[in-house]
Structures are given as C-alpha cells and as structure tokens.
Amino acid sequence: MPDQVVHWPVSDSVRDRIQRAIESLSDPTPEQKWQATCRVARQSPIAAEALRWLWQQTFPDRQLSQNPMWWPDENVLSEANLTRWMRELGLPTYADLHRWSAQQRPDFWQRAISETQIVFAESPKTILDDSPGAENPRWLPDAKLNIVNSCFSADKQSVAIIHQQPGGPLRRMTVDELQQLTCRVASGLQAAGYRPGDAVGVVLPMTAESVAIYLGIVSAGCAVVSIADSFAAPEIAKRLTIAGARAVFTYDYMVRGGKSIPLYQRVCEATNLPIIALPKDQEDSVALRPQDMAWKTFLSEQTIFDPVVADAYDTINVLFSSGTTGDPKAIPWKHLTPIKCAVDGWAHQDIHPGDVLAWPTNLGWMMGPWLIFASLINRGTVALYDDAPLDEGFGRFVQDARVTMLGVVPTIVKVWRKSGCMESLDWTAIRCFSSTGEASGAEDMFYLSALAGMKPVIEYCGGTEIGGGYITSTVVQPNVAAAFTTPSVGLDFVLLDEAGHPSEEGELFLIPPSIGLSQQLLNRDHHETYYAGVPRGPGGQLLRRHGDFMRRLPGEIYVAGGRVDDTMNLGGIKISSAEIERTLNLIDGIKETAAVAFADGQGPEQLAIFAVADQAWDTDELKTEMNRRIKTQLNPLFKVLRVELIDQMPRTASGKVMRRKLRDQLT
C-alpha cells in the first residue's frame, strides 16, 4: 500500500485504520492487504472511486477485468450453503463439488430437492428416467405436485413480501397473508369458469398483488402467459394468441418516473379477451368493457384453496424468448422448472431463510418468476419497489428494506454511477449482488460492489429455456468483476470452435440433462431449435445448442462474447433482428434493413440499423421515424442509436446477411 506521502482519497482516520489493519498482518500478501482494506470499508464508508484507487495501489500490475476484486473470508466460507455441502460430502474444493454435481446428476438433484424441501403430493419413484431418450429424459417420473405448495413452507408470520410505492411507507405482507390472497385469486378463477390447463395472461408490473396473481393462476392448475408491461399492443396480441390465452390480468395504469402509463387501454387495443383490471389506487379509474371485470369483483372471499395437484410436466407458465426468425419462441415452464430457480438461488446467490431479495424485473421476463420461486421456496422475502430503479428512491428502499441480495441489469448500474445517486446510502445489509440480462463492464461492477463496502457480484447467465443459469460465479470463489467462474451446479458445457473442436473460445454448447432444460416449444420444433446439426462433445456426449459465444481466460475465468446467431440483447431484453427488421421494412422508401447490436466490450449492446433506401433520406429524420415505429409497434425501451444508409447488404453465397461484417463497420 502507498505510504503517507501519497495523497489518499479518503480521510486521515480511514487511512490510518487501513494501515493499522494491514500492519497487524504478518508478511501479508497483496490479497490479504486488500481483504484488510475491505474489512475497513465495511465499517467506515469509503467512496467507490476511492476504493478503486486503493485496489490499483494494492495490485499495480493487474487488470481488473481478469483478477479478483473480492475474496471470501472465513465468515463467508463458514456460512455459505455450498461450503456446508462440501463438508457433508467430504469434497475439499468447490471444483470437486461442481465435478460431482455434473457427473452424478441424479444424486445432485435428489440432494437439491431435499435441501429446498420441495413438497410432493406423490413422491417420484426415482429422480431420472432417461429411457425416453437423451433429448427428453423424464425427471421425477410419476411425481404429483403443485409447485405453489413449496412457496409457503416458511413460518406463516414471517415476511413474504416487502413493497413500497415511491414516497410511501414500507409495507409488509406475511406468508399467511400472501397465501390467503393467492387462494382468493385461485378461487376467483375457478368461480369465473376457468379450469386447469387454461392459459391466463398477465401484463403486470411487479407488485405484491402481481405475485399473488401469478401464484394463484398456478395454484388453480392454469398456465400464466407472461407478457412484459413495456410491450406495445401488437406484441401483446401476438403473445396472447401464440399461448391461446383465455383472459388477461392488468392494471388500469402504472406510474414510472412520474409518468402515467395506461396499461388497461393498451391491453384493450391488443385483445378482446376478458380482462381482470386492478386499480393502481384504491378506486377504479377506468370504465371497463362489458366482458371485463374489476379486481374487487373478481376476487373471491375464499381464503382456503387446495392447489390443483398436477403432473411434474404440466405447464405452469408460458414465457417468450426471441429466436433468429419469426415470432418469439414460446417456452413452457413446468412444475419442475422452479426447482431449478430455487436451487440456483440457494447455491449461487447463496439464499438463506430470512434473506431479502430485490431484483428490478418483470413477470414478462424469466427473472420475475425466478425471483418469486428462488425467494419463497428458500424461505426468503421478495422486495418490490413499484417504480423505475434509477434514482435514490429505489436505493433508499433497498436500504430501508435491509435487502441482502440485490440483483441488477448492468444498464442500471451505469445510470447509478453516472448520477452518483446511491453513494450516500447504507447498503451494508447486502451480502451479495447479482447481475444478469446483458454484458457487464468490469469498472461498473467494481463500482457496484463498492457501494456496499466491497461485496461479491454474482454474474449469472442462462435463459428462459434453461429455467435459470448455465454459467455463474459463487460466494465461495474469488470474485472477478464482469466475469464468470464456473458452470452452474448440476450442469456443464463445452466451448467449440468453428470446426467443432474443443477450444478456449467459441460457441458454448450445454451438456444435458438437467432439471429446468426445456423439452418443448409451443411454436417451434424443439429438436430443430436446440439439437439438429449439433456436433457431439469431446467425450461423445449429446450437446445442446444455446447460441452464446464465450472465452475462457487463464485461471478458469469466463467472459461473454455476445451471441453467435442473430439474436440481440437490448437493455436485458432478448429480441431477434428479424422482429425489428419486419417493423422497419414497412417504412415508405425503405427497401431493406439489417438490425445489428454492437458494444465496446465494456457494457450493454446498442442498436444500429443499416438501411437500403429507394429514396433520399436524412439519417436523423430516418432514425426518428424508426424509433417511433419501434416504440409503438415493439417496445418503447428499445432505441436506435445509429442509422447507416448503404447501397446494398453484404451477403453470403446463400444470401444470408453478413451481420458481423456490418458490425465491424461500427467499431
């Protein structure tokens, strides 16, 4: 560490405490010096940029993106869920534990199911029956359950949900209160004539009522059709049609950043299906159509309802994820899938009973259901803030709710860092962060860690068709900013180059089987999507296509390299280039477009459009028109950053647009 003649970006008292902490160590390594610095940071607030300076002084010859910013201390290791399993199984290292979980998958999942206390009406005869074939093994054969029963195993008076409206008080809903409201929703569906197997749409922000609606639909034996509240009417209509929905829940309106957004009106534009409309305030504020029903009219007074017992492979939720062509993929989640959510949260986000989890998300994306199941099955608390998470109001909610695990999308962290809005808050209750949805940057993730006095940031990447993550980091390994350190427990993968050979960088292929992996798509051929044309693994294993490009660096560090197909990730939302291009090709005077995502390697992807026109266009005017179309027809959260007019598209011999060649022109 620097001596006193160097100007420290901290107070003299903090500087002295750091120096004393280091001097108390016997011949400390740089890692031990940094751990001592972090212990002081957790007791005395140190600005994020000051901690970054201290890291540079401690490791002057290291790159942040390839070296740990955090090491687990003895307290973390002694309390971590994974450490306990390592002790119980007699496995000395995490690498040994992961190897066991990947090689002995039935044993792993049997232990994981017992750990998370999944409730069965009829227990499975075995864990895995692979006789139907490697692509479609049968997990938990003959099991009967409703996964909702596993969400209410905590003490009935413990807190299930902490929620807040901007400027309002913190409110708490107990496990008993959430269970009663869930029963009222399920009874209301039954009374309204909906039966097990019916699909019911939700276009809802994350609120306490939304959680009860989600669980109530599943409890009634129906399937939730998850649609993000940001989607435009045509995209809502498309998803309701694909899933065969019979009704829709939505709010009359919602408020984001002080702006009122008319959700009910948007859903009415999308469909003639019956709508159950919730009031944003205490009183209904919109006139309903004849086929629609107000929330207070729909909601049953019956507070006891036995969840419908189902087969483990019955559908509980239809979620959507973009493919490279056509409509979004409709991915059914089964009663099995939440087990993957809960086990991932237990193992990688290290969720313990009583933990408080906040993750700004939506029921339209897999992290909404993931948050519900990972929190409640692990007997934790869901923390919900009913507004955009971009300013101090959200940060104060995190502080006051005593959040212990805060999930983010990297774009949010960039906003916080630019504004400095979270730097005066007390986030010391946070034990770890987690980041998913899009590529993150090392400097932003270090900044995030520093907001809580240096806590690990669990990078977590997966997919809707996985039910959770396939690659992650853990609290029992050194934490590298914006990097992964391990395949998720119970799974494995291989990186292959273009010739299909194992490589240190290349396309990532999963090695099935695993609970959580999809075996069905409603509107695609599942085999063609994930298995057709995929080479065998280096040991002859069946491999499953996922579409991510990954690099493995020295020290078993993995960094994401984007998608290998035409799917892009904009603000944590996956969408295919084809969906964007279909919308923009309808602009008069435009012959053809190509949507391309690009990034500088240090953060989220941005959207650029290459266009071939048959009339003169000013690029600024064209960009304005493209953004208007995208806002009204797709999603107002998407934004075109650049427009490039070209004479013709570069194509392969087979006529496919060469997007990588276009992308190279942007960097």
Side-chain angles (χ1 to χ4, degrees), residues 198-346:
D198 287 345
V200 180
V202 295
V203 186
L204 297 166
M206 288 290 282
T207 66
E209 290 78 13
S210 299
V211 174
I213 289 168
Y214 183 95
L215 294 174
I217 293 171
V218 178
S219 184
C222 299
V224 179
V225 181
S226 292
I227 303 174
D229 56 29
S230 60
F231 271 125
E235 294 300 308
I236 295 172
K238 181 187 299 182
R239 286 158 174 78
L240 292 172
T241 300
I242 291 171
R246 291 195 57 207
V248 191
F249 284 88
T250 195
Y251 274 89
D252 48 9
Y253 69 96
M254 67 177 184
V255 177
R256 290 293 178 266
K259 181 181 178 182
S260 178
I261 300 170
L263 279 184
Y264 175 77
Q265 177 183 328
R266 189 187 299 168
V267 178
C268 286
E269 293 172 10
T271 184
N272 287 320
L273 290 172
I275 296 172
I276 298 98
L278 285 77
K280 170 65 176 174
D281 300 313
Q282 294 299 316
E283 299 297 328
D284 298 321
S285 64
V286 294
L288 301 182
R289 303 174 307 180
Q291 69 267 42
D292 299 337
M293 187 181 301
W295 170 247
K296 61 185 178 183
T297 303
F298 160 82
L299 203 58
S300 170
E301 294 302 318
Q302 297 296 321
T303 59
I304 297 176
F305 183 93
D306 290 330
V308 174
V309 174
D311 184 87
Y313 280 83
D314 284 351
T315 298
I316 66 166
N317 195 179
V318 178
L319 294 112
F320 297 88
S321 179
S322 286
T324 58
T325 58
D327 290 333
K329 292 180 294 185
I331 302 168
W333 277 21
K334 311 299 184 177
H335 284 273
L336 288 170
T337 317
I339 299 175
K340 167 67 171 170
C341 302
V343 171
D344 272 12
W346 178 90

Side-chain angles (χ1 to χ4, degrees), residues 483-524:
F484 308 94
T485 55
T486 176
S488 62
V489 288
L491 258 181
D492 212 348
F493 58 74
V494 62
L495 305 183
L496 301 181
D497 62 20
E498 293 183 355
H501 300 140
S503 175
E504 295 303 300
E505 64 175 52
E507 184 172 355
L508 183 145
F509 293 89
L510 303 177
I511 303 175
S514 172
I515 286 180
L517 291 181
S518 65
Q519 296 183 14
Q520 175 193 15
L521 297 173
L522 297 187
N523 58 346
R524 304 282 177 87

Side-chain angles (χ1 to χ4, degrees), residues 3 23 78 124 140 159 169 187 208 219 223 248 260 277 314 318 325 427 453 483 494 498 507 514 571 598 623 646 649:
D3 57 35
E23 289 168 358
S78 66
L140 311 186
V159 179
S187 297
S219 184
V248 191
S260 178
D314 284 351
V318 178
T325 58
W427 280 7
V494 62
E498 293 183 355
E507 184 172 355
S514 172
F598 69 100
K623 183 167 74 170
I646 57 177
M649 295 290 175

Side-chain angles (χ1 to χ4, degrees), residues 60-120:
D61 300 322
R62 298 188 188 180
Q63 291 183 327
L64 180 63
S65 61
Q66 298 181 21
N67 291 277
M69 64 177 181
W70 176 89
W71 284 262
D73 60 25
E74 288 304 317
N75 289 334
V76 171
L77 288 173
S78 66
E79 296 175 2
N81 291 326
L82 289 173
T83 304
R84 174 165 56 80
W85 267 26
M86 289 160 59
R87 288 196 302 264
E88 293 172 357
L89 292 165
L91 299 171
T93 68
Y94 170 77
D96 294 319
L97 176 66
H98 178 266
R99 190 177 303 110
W100 167 79
S101 79
Q103 294 176 353
Q104 307 295 330
R105 299 195 192 191
D107 291 345
F108 166 79
W109 283 108
Q110 183 174 39
R111 190 179 186 93
I113 288 166
S114 176
E115 182 70 52
T116 50
Q117 301 179 31
I118 301 302
V119 177
F120 293 98

Side-chain angles (χ1 to χ4, degrees), residues 38 41-42 51 69-70 76 404 427-433 445-446 448-458 479:
C38 291
R42 288 192 283 273
L51 276 167
M69 64 177 181
W70 176 89
V76 171
T404 59
W427 280 7
T428 53
I430 292 174
R431 292 193 298 107
C432 75
F433 297 93
M445 292 302 104
F446 186 97
L448 178 65
S449 175
L451 289 176
M454 297 309 299
K455 300 291 175 64
V457 180
I458 305 304
N479 192 234

